[in-house]
Amino acid sequence: MDKHAQAADKAWHSSPRMTDVAKLAGVATSTVSRALANPGRVNEETRRRIAAAAEQLGYIPNTAARNLRVGRSTIVLAALPGPSMIFGASQIIPAVLQGLASTVAEGGFDLIFSNRNSPAAARHVVDLAFGGTVRGVVVLGAADLPAYGSRSLADAGIPVVSLLTDRSAAGIPSVVTNDRAAMREGVLHLIALDHRSFFYIAGESGNYHEVERFSGLLDALAVVGLSDRAVIRHGGHLGFNEGFQNGVEAAHAYLALALARRPTAAVCCADDAAISFIGTVRSNGVAVPEDVSIIGFDGAAVGAFCVPPLTTLEQPAEDLGAQAARIMLDLLGGAAMPAPKTTVPSRLLLRASTATPSGRSER
Amino acid sequence: MDKHAQAADKAWHSSPRMTDVAKLAGVATSTVSRALANPGRVNEETRRRIAAAAEQLGYIPNTAARNLRVGRSTIVLAALPGPSMIFGASQIIPAVLQGLASTVAEGGFDLIFSNRNSPAAARHVVDLAFGGTVRGVVVLGAADLPAYGSRSLADAGIPVVSLLTDRSAAGIPSVVTNDRAAMREGVLHLIALDHRSFFYIAGESGNYHEVERFSGLLDALAVVGLSDRAVIRHGGHLGFNEGFQNGVEAAHAYLALALARRPTAAVCCADDAAISFIGTVRSNGVAVPEDVSIIGFDGAAVGAFCVPPLTTLEQPAEDLGAQAARIMLDLLGGAAMPAPKTTVPSRLLLRASTATPSGRSER
DNA sequence: CTGTTAGCGCGTTCAC
DNA sequence: GTGAACGCGCTAACAG
C-alpha cells in the first residue's frame, strides 16, 4: 500500500461529520439534521440526496455531541448487587439481565452495568446518574439505593425502577415475582400429598426473598391449621451465592436428627440448596422422595436432570427483566407513574422429588 | 411544601455546572477545569477553595460535554453472541462477564452490553463504535466480527479484543482457555485409569470450542497409539445452549449400543451434557463410574453436587474476562500491540464420576 | 421548505 | 498561576 492509498485509507476511517454530508449534498447542516430526525419535514428530493450522501460517506452521528445538545443520553443503567452476575446454578440474575437487555435494546436504548458492592462502586453509580451519562436506572436486588454523602440515586431526577425487590413502599415502581404466594402454593402441594412436618432451608436472614418465601411457608401451614412448630428452620447465615454449601450444611443438620423427628418434606429457599441437599442426604442413605420430599425455588434448568428431578417454583426470570425494561421505557417516554408494583408469577413445576411420604415408618 | 420551597428543591436537584463552581469559588471555569484534572498545575489554596465549592454544590462533570470536548468516551462494549447471557449451568458467559466488568471498572471505564444475533443488532454494535459511544470493544465467542454494509467493527479505529475465541490469526488479540490441551490432559487421565474406548458427546459442529476439544481428545489417543476408531462420536447438531438436551440424546444413543460395544468412558464437550447424560443412563441401570466414567468441561459449580460428583475441566472463567479487560485497558492506555494470544489454562478437577472401568464384564 | 444563528458544558490554547 | 476566548458536533430557534 503506497502513501497515497494509506492517506485515503485513513480518511476512510475517520468518521465524517454532519458538515461533510451537508457539503456533499449541497445543503446546510441543519437540513441534514432534520432529514435524519424528521424525514417528514423536508422535501423528498433533497431528503434523498442527503440520505445518499450520508450513505456514501458512511455517516454516523456523533453520540456525545447529540447528547450534549439534547441534554440526555440513551443509556440505561442496571445497578447490580455485589459481584453477582454469577448467582448459583439458578442463574436468575443472568436470565433477568438478558430479558432486561433485550427489551431495552428493542426500545432503542443501550444498557450499561455496574456493581455496587463497594462504596466506590455505589458512588460511581450515583455519578453516572448525576453526570448525565445514564437516562434511567434499574436497581436489582439488595436493600439500599446507591448513595454517597448526601446524594442518593433517588435525587438524580431520572427514572428508577426496582427489579426483584419490592420498593414500592418507597415510591419506586417495582417488578417482582410472587415469592410469598408461590411458596404458599408449593407447600400446599406438599400438604396435599400428606406431609405434615417440614424442614425449611433458609437463605440469608433478613433478605427480601428469604423473608417472603418463609412467610409463604407459614401461610400454607396456617391454611390447614398447622402451627409453626410443624417446621424446623435451618440456615440463615449463608447468602444466596452460597446456596450449595447451604444445602450441604442443612443436610448434615437433617441427618443429625433422630429418625423419628425428621420432617418428611424439605422446603428450600433456592434450587442450589435443594440440589446439594438431595445429593448429601442420598449419599447418606436417605431416599428421595420416599423418605423426604424436596421442593426448590427458582426453576434452574439443571433441576430437571437431577436425580430425582427437582420439583421447584420456577421464576419467570426473563419476563421479570422484560417487564422492568418496559416500565423503564414507558417512563423514559414520558408516561405517567406506572403501577407501583408489578408481579410476574412463579409457577409450580412438579417433578419427582416430591411424593406422598411412604418409606420411613415401614422400614 | 410551598412554591418557594419547591423551586429551591428543583434547584437542588438540577446538576450544577462548572460555571456555578467557578462563581462560588471566585475563579474562572478554566481554573476549575484544571483543578480537577491537573491538581498539580494550580495553586494549592485556590485548589482547596474550588474543591470545597465543588463538594458543597455536589458538582459532577457532565459526561457528554467532556466526551465531546476530548473526543472519546469512557465506555467499553462487550459484544455478546446471540441472546446468550444465559448459557447452561456452566455459566461461563456470566462468569466471564463478571471478570470483565470488575476489571474494566477498576480501570475507570464503564461496560455496555450488546447482543449481535440479529443484523440490526450487529449494525448497532458498529454504530456504537463509529459514533464514538464506545472506546473499545470486547467480542465474545462466535465467528464473525460485527459488520454491516461495507463497514466492519475492524475499521472503527478503536481497540478490539477477542474473548473465548481465538482470532489472533486475524490480528485481533485474543484471550482463550487451552481447550485442546486441557481436553488432552483429561482424556490422558482416563487412559491412565485403563480406559481404551470412548464415547464423545460433541457440541455444535464447527464451533470453535467443539473443534478444539475434540482435537484434544484425538491428541490424547495418539499419545498412546490408539486410533480414532477408539471413539464413538455423537452429537454435533445441538448448540451449547442446548447442552442438557444434547446429553439426554447422547445417553439414548449410548443405551442403544449393545452392551459389549459400549465405551467405558464418556467425554463431554460441556458439563450440561455430562450432567444430563449421567442422569439418563443411571435411570436406565447404567452405573457411574463403574459401567461408564464421565468427564465434563467447564467446571460448573453444580457438578460437585451431582451424583456422582462430576470430574471436569474447569475453565477459569473470571480470569478469562479479567485478562481480556486488562489487555483492553492497556490498549486504551496507549500500549503497543499486546501478545496476539493469551491462554488462561483450564485445570482438571478430579471427582467421582471417573474411575477404573470395572463393572460390566463381571456381570 | 431551507439557511442562518446560537449555544449545550467542557478542555485547551494563548495571553496576561 | 490564572482568565478570556474559542470550538468539539449537533439541534432548535428564528427568519426568509
Side-chain angles (χ1 to χ4, degrees):
Chain A
M1 194 184 284
D2 65 18
K3 201 169 181 183
H4 178 69
Q6 274 183 22
D9 208 35
K10 184 159 193 298
W12 182 268
H13 289 333
S14 89
S15 290
R17 299 169 303 253
M18 193 178 270
T19 318
D20 302 324
V21 178
K23 204 167 300 173
L24 182 56
V27 296
T29 62
S30 56
T31 307
V32 175
S33 178
R34 268 178 306 227
L36 271 42
N38 301 26
R41 303 176 64 78
V42 61
N43 184 305
E44 175 58 16
E45 160 56 16
T46 60
R47 196 199 62 70
R48 299 174 70 96
R49 273 217 321 284
I50 291 173
E55 171 69 20
Q56 178 184 335
L57 265 43
Y59 170 71
I60 291 172
N62 180 293
T63 318
R66 169 177 237 289
N67 289 349
L68 176 57
R69 190 56 180 84
V70 303
R72 49 196 157 81
S73 88
T74 158
I75 299 179
V76 170
L77 171 68
L80 304 177
S84 306
M85 206 165 298
I86 317 155
F87 211 40
S90 313
Q91 295 195 100
I92 291 304
I93 299 280
V96 164
L97 290 178
Q98 180 61 51
L100 187 64
S102 302
T103 306
V104 157
E106 283 168 19
F109 287 82
D110 290 303
L111 196 62
I112 201 175
F113 287 69
S114 178
N115 291 319
R116 53 201 166 89
N117 40 336
S118 72
R123 171 176 177 137
H124 186 62
V125 170
V126 176
D127 285 354
L128 288 173
F130 279 88
T133 303
V134 303
R135 181 94 167 275
V137 180
V138 176
V139 182
L140 291 261
D144 49 338
L145 235 47
Y148 76 93
S150 59
R151 292 180 104 69
S152 162
L153 177 59
D155 307 321
I158 59 178
V160 175
V161 172
S162 178
L163 184 46
L164 295 182
T165 299
D166 183 8
R167 298 168 195 275
S168 57
I172 301 175
S174 305
V175 178
V176 298
T177 196
N178 58 342
D179 296 79
R180 183 164 178 170
M183 183 59 100
R184 178 174 175 282
E185 182 192 1
V187 175
L188 283 177
H189 164 69
L190 291 171
I191 290 174
L193 287 174
D194 270 349
H195 291 276
R196 290 297 178 273
S197 57
F198 303 87
F199 190 75
Y200 177 73
I201 304 173
E204 191 170 21
S205 288
N207 175 285
Y208 170 79
H209 301 290
E210 160 56 28
V211 171
E212 292 289 307
R213 292 172 194 177
F214 186 60
S215 299
L217 164 58
L218 296 184
D219 287 351
L221 299 185
V223 167
V224 294
L226 282 172
S227 94
D228 299 5
R229 292 181 40 235
V231 47
I232 296 177
R233 189 168 189 276
H234 179 275
H237 57 296
L238 292 173
F240 279 80
N241 283 332
E242 299 141 332
F244 290 120
Q245 192 190 334
N246 198 11
V248 171
E249 293 186 10
H252 289 308
Y254 182 86
L255 292 166
L257 295 173
L259 266 184
R261 292 202 57 234
R262 291 183 188 171
T264 61
V267 177
C268 303
C269 193
D271 281 350
D272 293 0
I275 291 170
S276 59
F277 180 88
I278 292 180
T280 307
V281 298
R282 286 188 78 220
S283 40
N284 281 277
V286 176
V288 177
E290 292 80 2
D291 293 337
V292 59
S293 282
I294 321 268
I295 184 169
F297 205 115
D298 280 346
V302 72
F305 304 95
C306 291
V307 183
L310 183 64
T311 289
T312 186
L313 292 153
E314 183 185 40
Q315 286 202 63
E318 285 202 67
D319 281 355
L320 284 165
Q323 283 290 349
R326 217 157 281 135
I327 290 174
M328 176 55 76
L329 291 175
D330 288 348
L331 251 25
L332 293 177
M337 205 53 166
K341 180 172 168 182
T342 303
T343 301
V344 191
S346 302
R347 82 196 162 95
L348 178 58
L349 232 52
L350 290 180
R351 291 199 284 240
S353 68
T354 46
T356 296
S358 62
R360 190 173 58 232
S361 57
E362 294 151 27
R363 278 200 307 214
Chain B
M1 191 184 284
D2 65 18
K3 202 169 179 184
H4 179 69
Q6 273 183 24
D9 207 35
K10 186 159 193 296
W12 182 269
H13 289 332
S14 88
S15 290
R17 300 170 300 256
M18 193 179 269
T19 318
D20 302 324
V21 178
K23 206 168 298 175
L24 181 57
V27 296
T29 63
S30 55
T31 306
V32 176
S33 179
R34 267 178 308 228
L36 271 40
N38 301 27
R41 302 177 66 79
V42 61
N43 184 306
E44 178 56 17
E45 160 56 16
T46 60
R47 195 199 62 71
R48 300 174 71 97
R49 272 219 321 285
I50 292 173
E55 172 68 22
Q56 178 186 332
L57 266 44
Y59 171 71
I60 292 172
N62 179 294
T63 317
R66 174 180 231 295
N67 288 350
L68 176 58
R69 188 57 180 86
V70 303
R72 50 195 157 82
S73 89
T74 161
I75 298 180
V76 170
L77 171 69
L80 303 178
S84 306
M85 207 166 295
I86 316 153
F87 213 38
S90 313
Q91 295 196 101
I92 292 304
I93 300 279
V96 164
L97 290 179
Q98 180 60 51
L100 186 63
S102 301
T103 306
V104 157
E106 283 168 20
F109 287 82
D110 290 304
L111 196 63
I112 200 174
F113 287 69
S114 179
N115 291 319
R116 53 198 167 88
N117 40 337
S118 70
R123 170 175 178 139
H124 186 63
V125 170
V126 176
D127 285 353
L128 288 173
F130 279 88
T133 303
V134 303
R135 182 91 168 276
V137 180
V138 176
V139 182
L140 292 260
D144 48 338
L145 237 46
Y148 77 92
S150 60
R151 295 180 101 71
S152 161
L153 178 59
D155 307 322
I158 60 177
V160 176
V161 172
S162 178
L163 183 47
L164 295 182
T165 299
D166 184 8
R167 297 169 196 276
S168 56
I172 300 175
S174 305
V175 178
V176 297
T177 195
N178 59 342
D179 297 79
R180 184 166 179 167
M183 183 59 99
R184 179 175 175 279
E185 182 193 0
V187 175
L188 283 176
H189 163 68
L190 290 171
I191 289 174
L193 288 174
D194 269 350
H195 292 275
R196 290 297 178 273
S197 55
F198 303 87
F199 189 76
Y200 177 74
I201 303 173
E204 189 170 21
S205 288
N207 175 285
Y208 170 79
H209 300 289
E210 159 58 28
V211 170
E212 292 290 307
R213 292 172 194 177
F214 186 59
S215 299
L217 163 59
L218 297 183
D219 287 352
L221 298 185
V223 167
V224 294
L226 283 171
S227 94
D228 300 2
R229 292 182 39 234
V231 47
I232 296 177
R233 188 169 190 274
H234 179 274
H237 57 295
L238 292 174
F240 279 80
N241 283 333
E242 299 142 332
F244 290 120
Q245 192 190 335
N246 197 10
V248 171
E249 293 186 11
H252 289 308
Y254 181 86
L255 292 166
L257 294 173
L259 267 183
R261 292 201 59 231
R262 292 183 185 169
T264 60
V267 177
C268 304
C269 192
D271 280 350
D272 293 359
I275 290 169
S276 58
F277 180 89
I278 291 180
T280 307
V281 298
R282 284 190 79 221
S283 39
N284 281 276
V286 175
V288 178
E290 293 79 3
D291 293 337
V292 59
S293 282
I294 320 268
I295 185 169
F297 205 115
D298 280 345
V302 72
F305 303 95
C306 291
V307 183
L310 182 65
T311 290
T312 186
L313 292 152
E314 183 184 41
Q315 285 203 64
E318 286 202 66
D319 281 356
L320 284 165
Q323 283 288 348
R326 216 157 282 134
I327 290 174
M328 176 56 74
L329 290 175
D330 288 349
L331 251 25
L332 292 177
M337 205 52 166
K341 181 173 167 181
T342 304
T343 301
V344 190
S346 301
R347 84 195 162 93
L348 179 59
L349 231 52
L350 291 180
R351 291 200 281 241
S353 69
T354 46
T356 296
S358 60
R360 191 174 57 231
S361 59
E362 295 153 27
R363 278 203 306 216

